[in-house]
Amino acid sequence: MSIEIESLVYRFPNGVTALDGVSLRIDAGERVAIAGQNGAGKTTLVRHLNGIVKPTSGTVTVDGWNTAEHSIAQLAAKVGYLFQNPDQQLFARTVRQDVEFGPRNLGYSETRRAELVSSALAATGLTDHADAHPYELSLSDRKLVALAAVLAMDTPIVVFDEPTTGQDHNAVRNIANIIDNLHEQGKTVVAITHDMDFCAENFDRTIFLAQGRIITDAPPTEAFTNEPQVTAAALETPQILRLTQALTHPPTTKIKTFLTNL
């Protein structure tokens, strides 16, 4: 189930151009991270994948479907979307009801729904909170509820918007494991992230956006060693790469400065 974007332009109603001629292809099963400073167009780009946003010009095609010609409800069967703010997704009285909403709307049988909900709650560590009201939980846990709701839909494409924001180390490692599991199932994972260490460790392909345009599309090892492109995207290289560079390139004061800033 491929994603094909051709000459995508999107302008907000006030005339500001958020995306300016973006073209790319994401093949089934790829793990792709999208990075760039605030306002680069990252969220606007991925919101085209499930029809939340429609192109001003150009095309976005998901599994042969032109997203401009299909509703959000139709595209939900193909693309699961985790919002950056979980409070934009959660509405039910219990965690279980929120997680079950997607598979119910997709018409899965009761047995299949129960399996998907149970699996999603277990994957996110929320089994013991299944009967709690989502808004009794912390913001970080509400984000996990929203993640479980996306996982329970069992879509072939999963989009994460800043999945690690507000999460502690253990939660970040668990999200990484979830991405690995999705990859093993052959699903496509697309993530927006400001966490460059998470990006480098968990994705096969990195796209840098700047001013609504793609300036880098390469494996992380290539993307983060291109210093002019990293600077143009207003990003930092991952800590492990900075440490390697500090150890490889004297003087020793550089190493001390790096380690002091860790």
Side-chain angles (χ1 to χ4, degrees):
M1 185 172 289
S2 65
I3 298 166
E4 297 185 52
I5 299 174
E6 293 289 342
S7 304
L8 175 62
V9 174
Y10 180 78
R11 293 188 183 90
F12 290 110
N14 63 4
V16 173
T17 299
L19 297 171
D20 188 12
V22 171
S23 295
L24 68 101
R25 177 186 172 94
I26 299 174
D27 289 321
E30 283 197 273
R31 291 177 292 189
V32 179
I34 301 174
Q37 68 183 141
N38 291 340
K42 305 182 300 298
T43 295
T44 302
L45 175 60
V46 297
R47 288 189 174 186
H48 278 83
L49 302 183
N50 65 348
I52 295 176
V53 176
K54 305 292 187 183
T56 301
S57 65
T59 59
V60 178
T61 306
V62 176
D63 189 32
W65 281 13
N66 185 330
T67 60
E69 299 171 354
H70 293 81
S71 68
I72 296 173
Q74 290 172 321
L75 290 165
K78 297 180 183 289
V79 182
Y81 189 104
L82 175 68
F83 284 78
Q84 182 175 356
N85 181 358
D87 296 343
Q88 294 179 330
Q89 281 183 261
L90 306 178
F91 62 90
R93 294 183 178 180
T94 69
V95 168
R96 188 187 306 279
Q97 289 173 341
D98 254 318
V99 175
E100 188 183 28
F101 178 79
R104 182 184 294 276
N105 262 19
L106 292 176
Y108 295 146
S109 68
E110 184 175 351
T111 300
R112 181 64 174 146
R113 289 201 308 269
E115 292 174 349
L116 290 169
V117 170
S118 177
S119 176
L121 291 173
T124 51
L126 293 170
T127 301
D128 292 341
H129 298 293
D131 297 320
H133 194 292
Y135 289 95
E136 292 176 353
L137 304 179
S138 66
L139 177 61
S140 60
D141 281 344
R142 293 203 300 278
K143 189 140 191 173
L144 292 176
V145 176
L147 173 54
V150 172
L151 296 177
M153 294 174 70
D154 196 28
T155 54
I157 299 170
V158 183
V159 177
F160 296 132
D161 193 342
E162 299 290 357
T164 62
T165 300
Q167 302 295 336
D168 62 21
H169 176 74
N170 288 335
V172 171
R173 294 317 310 158
N174 189 40
I175 292 169
N177 289 334
I178 288 171
I179 290 173
D180 282 343
N181 289 335
L182 292 171
H183 180 63
E184 289 173 2
Q185 296 170 37
K187 296 180 184 292
T188 304
V189 180
V190 179
I192 294 171
T193 182
H194 280 95
D195 186 338
M196 296 300 97
D197 294 291
F198 183 78
C199 172
E201 292 170 8
N202 297 287
F203 294 88
D204 309 311
R205 181 177 168 191
T206 304
I207 294 172
F208 294 164
L209 281 182
Q211 299 180 332
R213 297 180 179 179
I214 293 175
I215 60 172
T216 298
D217 185 351
T221 51
E222 294 180 21
F224 288 113
T225 53
N226 188 327
E227 293 186 14
Q229 299 293 0
V230 172
T231 300
L235 300 170
E236 283 191 341
T237 53
Q239 288 192 22
I240 187 63
L241 180 57
R242 283 183 281 142
L243 176 58
T244 301
Q245 291 170 337
L247 292 171
T248 305
H249 301 288
T252 305
T253 52
K254 288 186 177 181
I255 301 173
K256 291 181 179 179
T257 300
F258 175 82
L259 293 175
T260 300
N261 292 330
L262 281 178

